[in-house]
Amino acid sequence: MDLTTFLQNCVTGVSLGSAYALIAIGYTMVYGILRLINFAHGDIFMMAGYFTIFAITNFMLPWYVAILVVIIATVILGAAIERAAYKPLREAPRMSIMISAIGVSFLLVNLATYLFTGLPRSFPKLGFLQHVYKIGDVSAPVVTFITPVITIVLLFVLIYLVNHTKMGMAMRAVSKDYEASRLMGIEINTIITITFIIGSALAAIGAILYFSPRPMVYPFSGMMPGLKCFIAAVIGGIGNIPGAVIGGFVIGIAETFLVAVFPSMTGYSDAFTFVLLIIMLVFRPTGLLGENITEKV
Amino acid sequence: MRKISVLLVLVLVLSAFMAGCGGGSGDADEAKVIKIGIFEPLTGENGGGGAQELDGMKYANSVRPTVTIGGEEYTVELVISDNKSDKTEAATAANYLVDKGVSVVLGSYGSGVSIVAGDIFKEAGIPAIGASCTNPQVTKGNEFYFRVCFLDPFQGTVIANYAIQNGAKTAAVITQLGDDYSTGLGSFFETAFKDLTGDANSIVSSQTFQQNQADFNAILQNVKSKNPDVVFVPSSITTAPLIIQQARDIGITAPIMGGDTWENATIIENAGEKAEGIVLSTFFDEGLADSSPITKEFVEGYTQYLAGREASIPAVAALGYDAYMVALDAIERAGSTEGAAIRDALVATKDFEGVTGTINFDENGDAMKNMAVIKTVMDGKFQFLQVVEVK
């Protein structure tokens, strides 16, 4: 592999990984607070793709306004799902709420098929994001270069939010002990809603960054990215925010280089991600950055 | 309260059944009807192409809405079943048509779903006529499956021929794993290209991707590093724009070529100016209108029927039209609505004048065709390049 090919693969892998990372954060945060794997998260991401299409193609909003509208619409969707499908099950066994999440996932996919038809729709061009940019022989759309930057900036904002604000403190408290923090006067429902808002907003940004260089949205486009980001969250240590980002990068880069190094294995790049999950679960079930929780019997 | 609601549900369910039965038994004393099943993907990755093919069949139905069987006039009723571009759904969709008691089936766009449905139609003794499914496996070993288009070995040769005529010495091939159309056409192209160049190493890269994959950067990067003269990507119209755009984005400048599926305006809409210069082979072009009076009549009539919905007549619509007309011709000659009789009449089809050329079926049930059209995209439109005849 010559240097140009190597660099081009790095750019692709890092960029794909950062888009995964943004979605993985949503999984990991919800898990941290609710101990719930939000299976609908990938489909919220898909819906954000459709919202972008409507905002730009149908309502002809300028792209900077559209991005804002898409984030708000996705946040409303995410919060509404939490209120309607998860909140009534707060006291129910954890399995029930997970089944509810799977139900929401199917609902969103079928709703999208029903409302927007199963035909793929083209993702609009967002300003300068899709202009092809060249550094030496490495060529890629602008969005590929800025995705990692946006992800890192958002990660630091989020870490600051969690570690240095009162709301973040409440979030950490809820994730440590749900009952105790309620007794301490923390508004659990508000904290959970905020978690979903942050997760959905990141999914919306992730969707814009993911679909711009892969400009096609259809009802199942949230499926694979959703699964992979969930795996990214597990690999990083589910419940751990920097871990989710690292997991996203690991999967994005590994996937790209698997194909680059073994061109005959291109058909197996998805399978590889799942193999990675199995290896991780066998040797380090808590993930790269996950803490070992000693269970009291 | 609960009892009442249970009762209410029961009553509703029962009444639904009654209504269903009532509808079924009322047909007998109405006008004579013969049902033709349409087995097409209307949603999923091939939804766009399936809809175009269906349009052609609907138009054919509007041109010839009745058929004479044994001196009696029968109205043709189209029973449409969506196979959702999915092999699992295809079985359900095919069984639905069998349950509806159709006499003959038309379709499908996409070879994979046709192969799955083939056995179901064969067991039910219903003849099927494929319009644009080009994989040899569709009709092979199935005496009930026919088709009116050319086959992938032919198509692969045509494209390889064209590439070499235009100076290509090396080629890269990218196909979709598990998709019979894509892998089939890809390997026929590879064989033809190696034969024609006489160089076993002329295929510099042969890679596969998964259904619903959206990121092709890594695959394309491998292609770029091998620097081939052409890139051949037989794929669905969902995948094609993604590959075309990503290839151009990372700086692949070689011509990108595809098969008959690519002749769909969605590709130009989605890939935009990056679709310029792609090359594809297909079955039909409006430019052939003068070749026969039937073709001319079709081109004029269909252009009116489309009323500007498409920039030009899609080849699959012409094939859909031909499939319908061949079916009606066979039904008339069979003088029966029975599947087996219609099948025998189809086998006996001789020199049927279709808009895409004369149709005679060989022993596999494939139309013997020797002509393909090469098109390209220029100025945001499909443009006719040349007609290739291979014998």
Side-chain angles (χ1 to χ4, degrees):
Chain A
M1 197 187 302
D2 58 56
L3 187 67
T4 319
T5 316
F6 178 75
L7 288 178
Q8 181 94 45
N9 278 322
C10 285
V11 170
T12 313
V14 169
S15 176
L16 182 64
S18 7
Y20 284 162
L22 285 177
I23 309 162
I25 292 175
Y27 276 105
T28 226
M29 282 182 74
V30 169
Y31 183 84
I33 304 269
L34 274 183
R35 295 285 177 274
L36 157 74
I37 296 159
N38 184 11
F39 281 109
H41 197 59
D43 304 299
I44 292 176
F45 159 83
M46 172 270 293
M47 282 305 222
Y50 273 110
F51 290 152
T52 320
I53 294 178
F54 290 124
I56 294 187
T57 314
N58 296 34
F59 295 107
M60 315 249 226
L61 298 174
W63 63 275
Y64 39 90
V65 183
I67 289 179
L68 213 66
V69 171
V70 170
I71 294 175
I72 293 169
T74 315
V75 161
I76 293 173
L77 178 71
I81 287 172
E82 195 274 319
R83 276 290 141 91
Y86 305 151
K87 194 173 167 223
L89 295 170
R90 205 75 91 210
E91 307 303 328
R94 214 179 289 158
M95 193 54 87
S96 314
I97 188 167
M98 199 150 103
I99 293 168
S100 176
I102 295 173
V104 172
S105 165
F106 279 105
L107 177 75
L108 287 178
V109 169
N110 286 299
L111 200 68
T113 313
Y114 179 73
L115 293 177
F116 318 134
T117 77
L119 302 184
R121 304 216 21 190
S122 142
F123 194 80
K125 297 196 173 10
L126 292 161
F128 64 96
L129 284 183
Q130 268 140 331
H131 290 205
V132 175
Y133 191 73
K134 269 192 163 173
I135 303 178
D137 280 336
V138 178
S139 127
V142 174
V143 63
T144 308
F145 292 108
I146 63 169
T147 306
V149 181
I150 294 177
T151 303
I152 298 297
V153 169
L154 286 174
L155 172 67
F156 279 108
V157 170
L158 201 59
I159 288 175
Y160 177 82
L161 215 67
V162 171
N163 289 336
H164 299 280
T165 62
K166 212 167 172 191
M167 187 190 74
M169 197 197 280
M171 281 172 136
R172 278 179 290 142
V174 174
S175 81
K176 270 264 181 314
D177 194 324
Y178 190 87
E179 289 299 325
S181 48
R182 177 184 282 181
L183 291 173
M184 298 310 285
I186 293 174
E187 277 288 345
I188 300 249
N189 285 331
T190 318
I191 294 300
I192 292 173
T193 307
I194 289 173
T195 310
F196 272 85
I197 286 176
I198 295 176
S200 305
L202 292 176
I205 299 170
I208 292 168
L209 296 175
Y210 180 87
F211 286 123
S212 283
R214 309 167 186 85
M216 187 150 295
V217 185
Y218 60 99
F220 290 99
S221 37
M223 221 65 155
M224 245 323 156
L227 276 177
K228 284 184 181 165
C229 297
F230 167 61
I231 295 172
V234 173
I235 285 177
I238 193 146
N240 186 304
I241 294 172
V245 175
I246 292 175
F249 279 118
V250 166
I251 289 191
I253 295 170
E255 228 175 57
T256 309
F257 274 93
L258 177 86
V259 177
V261 179
F262 307 104
S264 56
M265 305 267 283
T266 44
Y268 297 96
S269 70
D270 289 346
F272 170 75
T273 313
F274 293 97
V275 170
L276 205 64
L277 172 73
I278 295 169
I279 294 174
M280 202 65 195
L281 288 177
V282 168
F283 292 103
R284 207 182 146 83
T286 50
L288 291 172
L289 299 188
E291 304 149 42
N292 258 320
I293 307 159
T294 41
E295 295 246 351
K296 282 183 227 122
V297 186
Chain B
M1 187 60 208
R2 177 165 286 175
K3 270 184 188 161
I4 293 177
S5 56
V6 167
L7 210 72
L8 203 71
V9 169
L10 257 175
V11 168
L12 279 174
V13 169
L14 278 177
S15 60
F17 270 112
M18 306 273 222
C21 298
S25 57
D27 285 349
D29 38 311
E30 281 170 24
K32 296 269 187 191
V33 167
I34 179 166
K35 287 180 183 167
I36 294 188
I38 295 188
F39 179 69
E40 290 288 349
L42 301 175
T43 51
E45 61 171 344
N46 287 328
Q52 288 180 332
E53 204 163 292
L54 173 64
D55 262 349
M57 294 169 186
K58 279 183 173 165
Y59 171 70
N61 182 240
S62 71
V63 171
R64 199 174 165 195
T66 59
V67 60
T68 320
I69 303 172
E72 275 190 277
E73 188 96 333
Y74 279 64
T75 310
V76 178
E77 183 192 334
L78 299 180
V79 182
I80 299 168
S81 177
D82 178 9
N83 61 40
K84 300 183 183 166
S85 324
D86 185 293
K87 288 188 199 171
T88 332
E89 296 283 354
T92 319
N95 280 317
Y96 170 81
L97 290 175
V98 173
D99 290 345
K100 283 278 172 185
V102 299
S103 299
V104 60
V105 172
L106 308 180
S108 164
Y109 183 100
S111 297
V113 286
S114 306
I115 294 169
V116 171
D119 287 337
I120 296 169
F121 296 141
K122 185 177 162 187
E123 259 169 49
I126 299 171
I129 307 172
S132 69
C133 35
T134 45
N135 190 292
Q137 295 294 330
V138 175
T139 54
K140 208 170 183 182
N142 187 339
E143 67 273 23
F144 278 90
Y145 228 119
F146 298 82
R147 84 178 108 203
V148 296
C149 58
F150 55 61
L151 270 65
D152 284 338
F154 171 75
Q155 182 169 211
T157 313
V158 165
I159 301 169
N161 243 323
Y162 175 82
I164 290 164
Q165 272 170 23
N166 286 276
K169 291 195 172 54
T170 54
V173 178
I174 307 174
T175 55
Q176 179 176 329
L177 205 65
D179 180 79
D180 302 308
Y181 166 78
S182 181
T183 46
L185 185 51
S187 75
F188 293 126
F189 172 85
E190 283 184 23
T191 317
F193 198 85
K194 283 179 195 162
D195 281 354
L196 291 166
T197 50
D199 175 7
N201 299 320
S202 56
I203 303 292
V204 289
S205 161
S206 175
Q207 299 181 85
T208 55
F209 60 88
Q210 297 272 359
Q211 182 175 13
N212 296 347
Q213 188 169 332
D215 193 304
F216 302 93
N217 279 303
I219 293 176
L220 291 167
Q221 194 52 49
N222 288 337
V223 171
K224 192 186 173 190
S225 66
K226 292 281 166 50
N227 199 19
D229 295 331
V230 290
V231 186
F232 181 56
V233 195
S235 55
S236 71
I237 50 173
T238 314
T239 316
L242 292 171
I243 296 185
I244 295 168
Q245 285 185 75
Q246 288 172 22
R248 296 296 183 230
D249 282 351
I250 66 162
I252 293 176
T253 49
I256 303 176
M257 311 178 80
D260 54 288
T261 44
W262 280 23
E263 200 205 4
N264 190 305
T266 329
I267 290 188
I268 303 180
E269 272 163 38
N270 287 328
E273 72 272 20
K274 284 166 191 152
E276 293 286 304
I278 59 168
V279 176
L280 55 104
S281 71
T282 185
F283 313 95
F284 176 75
D285 183 75
E286 287 177 25
L288 302 171
D290 296 329
S291 61
S292 84
I294 293 174
T295 314
K296 196 174 167 123
E297 198 180 313
F298 169 78
V299 169
E300 283 166 3
Y302 201 68
T303 311
Q304 236 170 31
Y305 174 79
L306 281 175
R309 267 185 296 141
E310 310 239 16
S312 62
I313 296 176
V316 291
L319 288 168
Y321 179 90
D322 272 358
Y324 178 90
M325 289 305 181
V326 167
L328 254 57
D329 174 63
I331 291 169
E332 213 162 63
R333 280 186 289 112
S336 157
T337 58
E338 285 302 312
I342 298 172
R343 191 203 84 90
D344 293 339
L346 276 169
V347 174
T349 300
K350 193 164 186 313
D351 294 336
F352 177 85
E353 286 291 327
V355 297
T356 59
T358 311
I359 293 167
N360 287 304
F361 294 112
D362 66 9
E363 71 278 6
N364 286 325
D366 297 327
M368 291 179 271
K369 294 201 169 172
N370 61 353
M371 188 257 323
V373 176
I374 302 279
K375 288 192 180 185
T376 184
V377 172
M378 210 191 292
D379 305 325
K381 277 197 211 96
F382 287 111
Q383 307 274 359
F384 175 81
L385 273 182
Q386 68 181 79
V387 172
V388 182
E389 274 188 67
V390 179
K391 194 62 210 175

